[in-house]
Amino acid sequence: MGRTIIVSNRLPIKIINDNGSLTYAASEGGLATGLDSVFKSGNNLWVGWPGIALDDNKKSEVTKTLLKQHMKPVFLSAKEIEDFYEGFSNETLWPNFHYFNQYTIYEEDLWIAYKKVNQKFSELVCDELEDGDTVWIHDYQLLLVPEMIREKKPNATIGFFLHIPFPSYESFRLLPWRRELLNGMLGSDFLGFHTYDDMRHFLSSVSRLAGLGNSNGTIKVKNRLVKADALPMGIDYDKYAASASAQETLIREARYRKSIGSIKLILSIDRLDYSKGIPQRLRAFDLFLTRHPEFNGKVSLFMVVVPSRDAVAKYKQLKEEIDLLVGSINGRYSRLNWIPIHYFYRSFPLPALSAFYRISDVALVSPMRDGMNLVCKEYVASKLDHKGVLILSEMAGASKELSDAIIVNPNDIQQLVGAMYKALTMPEELQIKSMKSMQESLKRYNIHAWVKLFMDQLRNVKNDQINLKTKTIDAAIELEIQAAYSHSKERLIFLDYDGTLSGFNANPDDSKPDEELQELLHKLTADSKNKVVVISGRGRHTLEEWLKPFPLEIVAEHGVWLKRIDKPFKTLMKINSDWKKDILSLLERYVNRTPGSFVEEKDYSLVWHYRKVETGLGEVRTRELTSHLKYMTANANLQVLEGDMIIEIKNSDINKGSAAMKLMEIYENTDFFMACGDDWTDEDTFKVLPETAFTIKVGGSESQAKYSVNSYKEIRGLLNKLIES
Ligand code: GDG
């Protein structure tokens, strides 16, 4: 079995340089604990920056020590840390992804540093990577690494998880390097996001910027399947529950209780960050104390702010703002035996954190934006007596899972004040009921379940890619088709037109046979053993005009019309068109509402075209129209087909399959069957052909066809080889 290589900006370790002597301490972060069992087993490895800039003479010592703990360091110089980490990661991507665009800086030098450091990470991973290994890359600092690895190792298994929000297209598009960043991410096989919103924002950017659509989160990138999904990260539930009942925690809790007395506590714990909404929270608490004087002296805010990124100017300013607000509130409300805010600007060991979780009546988690937020989950897991209330911002990913919390909009100060009051006066039974329900969910979707789900999904994508690949025509299959072709006496060859014999053009009227195709059709039809059928959804007049010079059969409008060689078009069956009037008036209503769309009326079908409609609006209208049409056609003998930027409505009895059957009856001595097509209307042809037929799908989506090729050019190539064989 291959190894798993985890790649993240930081290694799960802290190195302290005490006058040249280095000490190592394991990091307690959620990711580190969750992946503990993964990277410490077998030959698995964690690649990342060890957290400090080191002199060259220390590097080999650190490498050796870390390797023993399954870690491989990426060393960064002080300048790289400044430009790649503090700069592009934290002053460009972080504010943009958290919708703080007034703080985003756009500097080419920082982008260059970001690319260089991502390259450094990817090179180190590539040096380690062997066949069968799995790479799992984490977070916004390393968005380019998946593609950089893919370029060197095209078959690598690469997963990526984004821990922060993926912003809406409207924010993401502001970045000058948006295409490169997306392409970087699309080097992965599987991409995980905390919430469905993050995932759909990502897919929307992929569609608008890279022009790639998706089917339930699956995207085709240069003929490789890439899947995106929402996979909320859990916590190590048992670890937090156990820590909440540990002796050391209980001793601390008793000590804290003694010093603060019997007042109620509202807990707030965050890294210092503007995305966490700390000043807004303080202002809301200030207003709460004014509005509810009965709580003065009875409740305190217990606020831990963990120092973070203090080299970045915005963070320094934020720290000053918080200091001022705390000072002002405490100055105004404090009494001799009570202060409104207990403020700590430092970090604490886990037993202290657990004691804070235990002792607090309310946790106030009100970020302006947060990918997930683990503090609120840890608070819930620590409430062994199920008493306590969680106030949670709807802007935190966790709010999608913890719907039993009091959910607030962090910008709504009135609502925050109301939520504090509601939380502090909530009856115990209600607290217990909500807490138990949240605990159930967090126990089930814990960090281990998250890791397993991620790895399973990554494996599934890889299997899907392999299943698709097995159908791709290779040299051996080509020889097999050639042999069958040359040994046969009568051949029936069905060829779809658009996407199969010809590429797609912005203007479909430009798709008439080019010289290469003309030559191919001449040669193919010159062999009297070949009965060639062009089987298309296009109208009969166009096909007749384009294909006049060639002795072949034409099936038009998905099987409505058949034109035998040298004969005029005839309908293949008696068709009722009475339904057209009602549907036409519905389609016209949609045309009126959708600039750029138009209706095409064919003899036995109606087509709504949206190729020229604004991107996004066309898709929205299509969904609306399709469900409208499905409802209207429920009891009629009609089918609604979704094609390339079109919706077509036609009689259910008409399809390419019925037309193909008719031709099979005519050419009953056929001993070589072949059908090539690119969209799902061709599936009907594939289905009716005998087992021995060579059915070939253009493009990699699911199909009844036996084989697949990547583009119409390969179909032309294959047909030419058959003619020559
Ligand atoms: C990013 C995303 C997403 C805090 N104070 C102390 C301490 N902590 C621990 C908490 C918690 C962690 O730090 C903070 O995690 P969050 O999720 O709240 O926030 P970020 O650091 O911004 O993390 C976030 C996360 O990635 C995971 O995907 O949820 O949205 O921004 O575990 O307990 N730990 C100790 N002492 C402290 O004083 N020991």
Side-chain angles (χ1 to χ4, degrees), residues 134-149:
T134 297
V135 185
W136 187 359
I137 301 158
H138 291 264
D139 231 359
Y140 64 104
Q141 302 92 347
L142 304 177
L143 297 177
L144 303 177
V145 174
E147 190 194 23
M148 288 171 169
I149 297 177

Side-chain angles (χ1 to χ4, degrees), residues 28 163 194 271 276 306 347-348 370-374 378:
E28 289 159 342
H163 290 263
H194 278 309
R271 258 187 326 98
K276 303 287 183 183
V306 181
S347 68
F348 290 87
D370 218 334
M372 172 53 65
N373 193 291
L374 299 178
E378 294 162 8

